[in-house]
Amino acid sequence: IAWVRQCLNRKNIYVHADIVTEMNEVRSVKANFIQHNDRRRPCFAGWSEFLNKHYHNFTQGFTSNYVFEFHKGKCTYTHLISDEPEKSTTINICKFQNYDVTKKM
């Protein structure tokens, strides 16, 4: 939430409980920390294993881009939406032939 960033601005806070406390100082916010390993409230945290099993890694430097389009198992990315199509990069991200498998995951 954009207006919550102001309450955290210029503060060196590293503990999740302290972040939640600061965020709850904002009048319209009720922040909670989701404990990912609490069996009563499961939250999936095994993303690395899942993603490595089904998808190729992106090429080096992809994080300098802002526009990503995913279509039929491929990702096309470019720095700006106004960039020419020749400046975009397209990679096959699926490790399997039938990208429809991802719809069932």
Side-chain angles (χ1 to χ4, degrees):
I1 303 173
W3 61 90
V4 174
R5 288 187 296 187
Q6 293 175 351
C7 78
L8 300 174
N9 196 18
R10 301 185 194 274
K11 295 180 182 175
N12 293 324
I13 303 173
Y14 304 102
V15 179
H16 61 80
D18 294 341
I19 294 170
V20 169
T21 300
E22 289 292 326
M23 291 175 75
N24 282 329
E25 292 295 317
V26 177
R27 199 168 168 212
S28 61
V29 172
K30 175 63 176 128
N32 289 300
F33 176 73
I34 299 174
Q35 187 67 25
H36 68 276
N37 55 3
D38 185 348
R39 292 181 190 262
R40 295 172 298 143
R41 297 179 193 94
C43 176
F44 186 69
W47 287 110
S48 292
E49 183 180 326
F50 174 83
L51 293 173
N52 288 334
K53 179 179 177 183
H54 298 288
Y55 299 99
H56 296 290
N57 288 331
F58 280 81
T59 55
Q60 188 173 8
F62 83 95
T63 55
S64 64
N65 295 286
Y66 300 105
V67 182
F68 296 85
E69 178 184 354
F70 297 89
H71 184 69
K72 293 189 175 185
K74 296 185 182 201
C75 176
T76 300
Y77 54 90
T78 187
H79 187 67
L80 299 173
I81 193 74
S82 58
D83 284 347
E84 297 295 322
E86 301 85 45
K87 291 185 176 181
S88 65
T89 301
T90 300
I91 61 169
N92 181 10
I93 58 172
C94 291
K95 287 186 175 180
F96 36 83
Q97 297 295 333
N98 183 3
Y99 65 89
D100 287 330
V101 171
T102 59
K103 295 177 184 177
K104 298 174 186 173
M105 294 181 196

